[in-house]
Each structure stands twice: as structure tokens, then as C-alpha cells.
Amino acid sequence: MAVVEQENPLVEGLERLPIHPTTLVIFGGTGDLAQRKLLPAIYNLAHEGALPERFNLIGVSRSEMSDDEYRTMARESIQQHSRRAPDGQVLDKLLGQVRYVPGTFDVDAVFERLKEELGAFDEEAEIPFNRIFYLSTAPSFFSLIVQKLGEHGLDTHQEADARVVIEKPFGTRLSEAQQLNREVLSVLNESQVYRIDHYLGKETVQNVLAFRFANGMFEPIWNRNFIDYVQITASEDLGIGRRAEYYDSSGALRDLVQNHMLQLLSLLCMEPPVTFDADEVRDEKVKVLHAVEPPPPDAVVRARYTAGMAEGKEAVGYLEEEGVPPDSRTETYVALRLEVDNWRWAGVPIYLRTGKRLARKVTEIAVTLKPVPHLAFQAEGSVGVQPNQLILTVQPNEGVSISLGAKIPGTRMRIRPVNMEFLYGTSFLSQSPEAYERLIMDAMRGDPTLFTRDDEVEAQWRIIDPIIESWGRDDTPLAEYPAGSQGPEEAARILAPGHHWRAI
């Protein structure tokens, strides 16, 4: 029987709060991110009636094309990548207010043309539109575009707001992040800057806060007295594809740990904010990051994948991937042990691991409680009492499960673990919105809660920068693991006695 899509109670009503008329400008409007994620997200918001009543879209990119050609490209991208089949009327109405400005980002004439298009929208509606500039470009253009916006007077707008959304990576070292912050904030106020981390737009990531602070059963045990250890895993079954140029200069540590995984850690470990105001939440997250010391070398493992079997097919090793230098020392896997040195978490190991070409794609947080003090259940056939675990799955199947010890039916007292599960798809009979839908909405709303602040970005880099620096002095051969496996055996050495990695 077909499942009827229903409104998601978690977002119902939120998307219909009044939003000031807005013009969204996508720099890099013909790029891969715009076509696969941003344009479909904008369509889905339009489909749900969540966009402001007056909404305009402008693409800016190097490709030479007309407004009509850009509309055709946008239509095809939405039809291919939208999470729902597009409605023709909704799509036509959305694309009717789309414009395109061709040119490179260092040319003043591009910004003058953009200024004219923005002004034309304001004059036609006889109101000043809020302006959202989304930087979906290579990181080398971030500072340049912001400087040009300032030079052409686009950083402010009469009786309306101008905001800039900046994609990752925000620098590749601490010094670069600090320099980029200085350059951006020389033009804009911090309140205008929205540094995006798309993981924070995922429902289960936001649900970390809901489960912690909306359920009285968790808060009493959310500390070092009851929690044994925490694992945060972000594994991918795919290789690097055609991203060799980017990935070989980034690696697993910069690509996922510095941003996504440290964000998950800070949400998991933060103290309850006084209110859920954006700065109150981010203040608490920054406190967590400041309490994390960079790990010593023996608490970090890096590795790269070799040839193996993935999804039933032969897969080449990282060094054989197209575009990867034969002498590359870039890691495709990293595992590290961190501690949050504060009253709540002192002494609790927090293990992070991420990698390409692992057994399957999964992102999850596993909180393992301390075992019960007396194990009396040793009957034959009993799995025995296992420590309780709370598993928050971010992808692919968003949800939460709790493992419990239960008696196996029969005449003897035999115990085995069982799971209680909550899944978004079955509980709400609704697709979770894509992360970019929530984040684009929040940027238009002027709510920066799910975006990273300048001090937050720098605090993340202060944890990661010493690791990168120590690797630069280390010529030890990288550990290796076969494609399609659980990762390198060396990862077990950072675990404390009695701890083990969850199967991927």
C-alpha cells in the first residue's frame, strides 16, 4: 500500500512564519553544488509554500548563457535531483523570477550588472528585498567576492538585510581561517556572515538537542558517572571519484573531522543553554571546543585504502585513482581519541573515525553506558548483559535506537540485547527535508543557530592544526586497509581496554 506523505510535525508551521521578501544570489550558480543541492532545495521550499511570498533568484557564474538558458539548466537540475517529483505550476512560478549574470568574480562589471538586477527587483516590487549572497564557489574566491560586494555597496541595503552564506572549507589551517575571518569581517558584521556546515541541517543532528534537553530520562545520566565512552563515525563506501584534485589537498581530517565531526561532538557535549537563542547555543558549543586539547600522536591513526572489493565489485586503491600523485601521503581514513576536559566529561574517551571505501555508508553517534556492576546472568545460551547504548543515526536511515538487555523466552534466565528504535520515515510518514532546505530557510529568516561563528571555526582549527603540523614532520609509511573493509587494524590501538569499534 502506498504511503501518503504527511506534514512533518517537527517543521510544520515553522516554514510558514513570515519572511521578508528576499532575493537569493548564488555565486557559482552553474556548479555541481548548485545543481545537485541548492536549486532542488529551493524548489522543495517553494513546493511547501515555505519561501517568502516575494522571492527572486539570481545565478552568477563564469559560463556564458542567457536568462532563459539558465532557467532551462535549473529546471533540468531540479527534475533530476529533487527529492520529490516537481509540480509543473510550482516550477514555472519559481523559474519566472530567475535571472543570470555571467562573468568572473574579479571583474567589477559583473558586480555592477548584479547591482542593476537587484535594484530592478526592488523597483518592480516597490520594496527593498533582503539580499542573501550564497558563495558556492572554490574557497579561493570567498574573500574576493566579499571584498567586491563591499566595494560596490552590496554589503548593506536600505531598510533590509544583506547576508553572506559561505560554504566550507573555511581555510585549510588555523592561520588561513583567521586570515579569512579578518578579511570577511573587514567588510561585513559577524551577524551578516553565515558559515555553513550542512550536517547541522540534518534532522537527526538537531534531534541530538531534542533528545538531550526535552527528555528528563537522559540528562541525569549524561555525564562521566554513567557514560563509559562515545564513538562518532562517518564512513563512506565510495572512493574519491573525480575529486582527486580537491581531496588530495584535503584528506579525511580536513574534509570531515575539522568541521562536521567536531560539530557533532560539540552538540553532544554542550551544556543546556539558558535559551535557544543562536548566540546562547553557540556560546555553549564553543565552551566544549575550548575544553578539547589536541590529541597526542599516539591517539591518532591515519591510513589510506588499497585495492579490494566494494559493493561486490573490484575497487582500485587510492594511489591508483585517477589524478592522485603516486607519492601522495594524503589519508583517506583517520581515527582519533579526544577528551572534553570539563566537569561533566572529564575522563570519558570520545572516539572519532571517518574514511572512504569502508564497508558501508553510515554516520552515527554511539553513546555507551558503563556496564552494570554485577553480572549474574551466565546461563548457557545467554549472550549476557551488554552495556546499554544510545545510537543516533544521522544517515542513511535517520533515527535513534536504544539497546537494552532482555530475557530470551523460555524456562531459563538467558539474556540478549534488543533494540528500541525510532525512525523518522516510519514515525512521521514523511521524508525528512534535505539539510540545505533548512539552512537556506534559516539564512533567509536571519537565524544563525545552525551556522558556525568566527570563534567556533577557529576553536575547531586549534584542535586539528597541531595534528596536521605533526604529520608534516612524520615520514612513517601510512597504515593501509582494503577497500570495502572495516578500516585499518591499527585503529584499535587508540582504544582504551574493554572498548571496541562498532561494526560499520
Side-chain angles (χ1 to χ4, degrees):
M1 185 177 74
V3 175
V4 178
E5 185 171 333
Q6 299 179 356
E7 294 291 344
N8 185 339
L10 294 181
V11 297
E12 187 176 0
L14 265 181
E15 64 273 10
R16 291 175 176 79
L17 291 174
I19 300 175
H20 190 82
T22 299
T23 299
L24 175 63
V25 179
I26 302 177
F27 286 93
T30 61
D32 186 61
L33 177 63
Q35 293 194 51
R36 287 189 305 107
K37 296 294 185 181
L38 304 184
L39 293 170
I42 292 165
Y43 167 77
N44 281 303
L45 291 171
H47 183 98
E48 293 174 356
L51 291 178
E53 187 175 347
R54 292 177 179 268
F55 175 81
N56 310 302
L57 177 64
I58 301 176
V60 183
S61 197
R62 290 176 296 180
S63 303
E64 283 292 335
M65 61 175 69
S66 66
D67 289 348
D68 285 339
E69 289 172 327
Y70 186 67
R71 291 187 190 107
T72 299
M73 186 217 76
R75 182 184 295 272
E76 291 172 353
S77 298
I78 291 166
Q79 289 171 337
Q80 182 177 356
H81 299 292
S82 172
R83 64 182 171 89
R84 54 159 61 92
D87 178 285
Q89 288 185 326
V90 175
L91 195 51
D92 289 343
K93 182 178 179 181
L94 174 66
L95 296 178
Q97 294 302 102
V98 170
R99 304 287 186 272
Y100 183 73
V101 176
T104 55
F105 307 135
D106 58 348
V107 175
D108 289 317
V110 171
F111 290 85
E112 284 302 311
R113 166 80 184 281
L114 175 60
K115 191 172 185 177
E116 291 173 7
E117 295 284 2
L118 290 166
F121 281 132
D122 289 357
E123 290 176 15
E124 181 182 343
E126 298 182 342
I127 54 171
F129 282 72
N130 281 352
R131 296 170 177 180
I132 309 293
F133 301 100
Y134 197 118
L135 275 52
S136 174
T137 69
S140 57
F141 293 117
F142 292 166
S143 178
L144 172 64
I145 293 172
V146 171
Q147 295 297 323
K148 289 293 184 184
L149 291 174
E151 290 172 11
H152 292 269
L154 295 171
D155 57 316
T156 59
H157 191 37
Q158 53 174 354
E159 300 176 11
D161 294 326
R163 306 181 187 118
V164 176
V165 180
I166 302 179
E167 268 288 345
K168 79 172 186 83
F170 200 87
T172 62
R173 295 290 300 268
L174 173 60
S175 58
E176 286 185 24
Q178 291 172 325
Q179 178 65 21
L180 183 54
N181 269 333
R182 284 193 293 269
E183 291 170 353
V184 168
L185 296 178
S186 70
V187 177
L188 305 167
N189 298 319
E190 176 60 32
S191 62
Q192 295 177 276
V193 182
Y194 289 66
R195 300 169 191 81
I196 198 166
D197 184 333
H198 74 270
Y199 263 46
L200 297 185
K202 294 181 179 293
E203 291 284 4
T204 308
V205 174
Q206 298 161 49
N207 215 29
V208 173
L209 298 181
F211 268 77
R212 281 198 57 195
F213 303 132
N215 296 287
M217 71 180 76
F218 294 123
E219 186 57 26
I221 65 170
W222 213 255
N223 56 65
R224 58 191 171 87
N225 296 324
F226 293 92
I227 293 177
D228 193 11
Y229 63 103
V230 175
Q231 282 184 39
I232 303 177
T233 300
S235 70
E236 299 184 52
D237 53 358
L238 299 177
I240 61 168
R242 299 179 180 178
R243 300 172 67 221
E245 183 178 357
Y246 162 73
Y247 196 86
D248 198 63
S249 63
S250 172
L253 187 69
R254 289 186 177 100
D255 190 43
L256 274 172
V257 177
Q258 184 274 329
N259 38 68
H260 303 331
M261 300 188 79
L262 288 181
Q263 283 292 316
L264 294 178
L265 182 151
S266 63
L267 286 171
L268 187 79
C269 298
M270 64 183 275
E271 294 297 317
V274 175
T275 67
F276 275 90
D277 173 77
D279 277 329
E280 294 279 358
V281 172
R282 295 190 291 182
D283 285 347
E284 297 301 334
K285 289 166 64 185
V286 169
K287 289 178 186 177
V288 173
L289 295 169
H290 283 316
V292 177
E293 290 293 324
D298 63 356
V300 182
V301 170
R302 58 173 171 159
R304 64 171 169 240
Y305 62 84
T306 57
M309 297 294 293
E311 298 181 318
K313 300 177 182 178
E314 292 186 4
V316 300
Y318 178 72
L319 295 180
E320 288 75 53
E321 295 277 14
E322 183 181 349
V324 174
D327 59 348
S328 171
R329 289 184 57 79
T330 299
E331 79 288 352
T332 62
Y333 176 101
V334 64
L336 56 157
R337 183 181 70 246
L338 300 176
E339 288 192 16
V340 179
D341 192 14
N342 62 17
W343 186 270
R344 182 186 291 266
W345 292 100
V348 177
I350 299 178
Y351 303 108
L352 278 58
R353 61 172 169 169
T354 183
K356 296 279 191 183
R357 279 288 184 222
L358 294 170
R360 69 184 178 106
K361 179 182 178 70
V362 64
T363 301
E364 69 174 22
I365 302 169
V367 179
T368 302
L369 301 186
K370 291 184 176 180
V372 294
H374 179 56
L375 301 181
F377 307 103
Q378 301 296 335
E380 184 180 348
S382 175
V383 177
V385 178
Q386 305 293 316
N388 301 116
Q389 285 189 319
L390 173 66
I391 313 297
L392 299 105
T393 305
V394 176
Q395 60 182 10
N397 299 315
E398 295 184 323
V400 180
S401 69
I402 301 174
S403 70
L404 304 171
K407 178 183 176 297
I408 301 172
T411 57
R412 290 180 296 170
M413 181 60 73
R414 297 179 299 165
I415 305 297
R416 60 161 288 183
V418 296
N419 289 332
M420 293 197 308
E421 290 187 320
F422 147 70
L423 297 174
Y424 274 92
T426 55
S427 294
F428 294 124
L429 300 179
S430 173
Q431 286 183 319
S432 294
E434 288 285 341
Y436 281 99
E437 295 173 33
R438 171 64 189 266
L439 295 172
I440 289 171
M441 275 295 296
D442 281 357
M444 289 192 292
R445 243 187 235 125
D447 181 356
T449 305
L450 299 178
F451 297 83
T452 50
R453 206 167 54 190
D454 56 345
D455 56 342
E456 197 173 349
V457 171
E458 292 180 16
Q460 291 172 182
W461 275 116
R462 285 191 180 95
I463 298 168
I464 299 303
D465 217 42
I467 302 174
I468 298 173
E469 189 173 338
S470 69
W471 285 353
R473 301 189 300 266
D474 182 8
D475 57 1
T476 306
L478 267 65
E480 295 181 335
Y481 62 98
S485 69
Q486 296 287 317
E489 294 179 0
E490 288 82 352
R493 70 171 169 79
I494 69 171
L495 298 174
H499 296 175
H500 63 276
W501 290 113
R502 281 175 51 82
I504 293 174

